Amino acid sequence: MKSNENSIKARIQKLLLYTGYELIHFNYDSKTFGNMIIKIAGNDKIINIVTDRGEVYFNDEAVYYPLISPLEIETIEIVVAVLIRDYLMILQKPRNLGNYKLTD
Amino acid sequence: MTPVMFTDSTGYFAVSILVIGLVAGAIIGGTVGGVAAYNIAKDNNAEGWELAGWTLAGVAGGAAIGAALGYAGASLYSSATGIVGLSITKYSIVPIKGVTLLGSYPLYKDSAILTNSGFYDIGKTWNNLTTAQRTLNNSTYLADANKLGSQFAIFTGRVTTTATSLWEEIHYLIENGIPFEMF
């Protein structure tokens, strides 16, 4: 399980390269729904990202609800990575992933 | 808590820890009692119906003693762990405690551990369930906890919006008239 945790952490750190943000806290709760607590800091901001039963929260704001927008293949680690990428590089606000496909 | 087994129309069920102790004790005690009585009777040259009679008496006596010991053991276990029963579905077995905490992660989990309360957790199995299966599994847990007499408390550190699991849990409690406290 530790290797899974390390690989998720490495994926997030790779995403943050050249963005001005860095990963300052990562906790992967494999026993409780595989929930994650992630803190990234940069540009004088700290973003808290929490997954809770597949739901994803950015600074306590729900940005992904699997109950209403389940993915074709729901892998929460991938969902989180896409949302962080969106936030940092593209939209500055995570998009609705309702029509997201893994090939996007 | 009266030892009662609860079933529902889905085939999922909740079982009191006292019932588990009672039944397990009766089975083990009955087996041990029956074997012991058979051997003693055999050593004393009992045959036929007489041997069967002594064996059955051993089973009955052993089951009664085993059930009593099992019940007592389960009571002690329940007192020590706070676990009053189990919520059993085909996807999960979740312990039920006297108080059940719901809420936003990680607040409710941290609070539950600190107060030895129960909380819903089926590990990563959750991620492999469909939306309908998640809803059914979650509501079954709430129903089972309620049947086993657990008290509900909600710890949420953020605004609870629609279409979240916590929102569905709170609605389930309200729609079924199950009281809860909110912190």
Side-chain angles (χ1 to χ4, degrees), chain A residues 28-29 31-32 52-53 55, chain B residues 105 109 121 124 138 165:
Chain A
Y28 180 65
D29 191 345
K31 290 181 180 171
T32 306
D52 187 353
R53 282 188 267 185
E55 295 154 15
Chain B
Y105 181 85
K109 182 185 175 183
D121 181 13
K124 291 195 78 175
N138 201 349
S165 297

Side-chain angles (χ1 to χ4, degrees), chain B residues 147-180:
Chain B
K147 286 171 188 167
L148 290 167
S150 188
Q151 306 296 308
F152 290 91
I154 298 172
F155 285 73
T156 182
R158 56 179 172 249
V159 175
T160 305
T161 52
T162 56
T164 61
S165 297
L166 179 57
W167 179 272
E168 289 206 337
E169 287 177 329
I170 293 170
H171 264 250
Y172 181 89
L173 298 179
I174 293 170
E175 285 170 4
N176 290 279
I178 300 169
F180 61 88

Side-chain angles (χ1 to χ4, degrees), chain A residues 4 27-37 50-55 57 60 62 65-68 70 74 76-77, chain B residues 103-106 108-109 119-124 126-127 131 134-135 138 157-159 161-166 168-169:
Chain A
N4 193 18
N27 177 259
Y28 180 65
D29 191 345
S30 61
K31 290 181 180 171
T32 306
F33 305 109
N35 285 346
M36 290 181 278
I37 300 173
V50 176
T51 71
D52 187 353
R53 282 188 267 185
E55 295 154 15
Y57 295 84
D60 287 334
Y65 310 77
L67 287 179
I68 56 171
E74 186 182 307
I76 194 63
E77 292 87 350
Chain B
S104 53
Y105 181 85
Y108 75 90
K109 182 185 175 183
F119 61 97
Y120 180 58
D121 181 13
I122 62 171
K124 291 195 78 175
W126 176 267
N127 296 338
T131 302
R134 287 177 177 183
T135 300
N138 201 349
R158 56 179 172 249
V159 175
T161 52
T162 56
T164 61
S165 297
L166 179 57
E168 289 206 337
E169 287 177 329

Side-chain angles (χ1 to χ4, degrees), chain B residues 96 126 129:
Chain B
I96 305 287
W126 176 267
L129 302 182

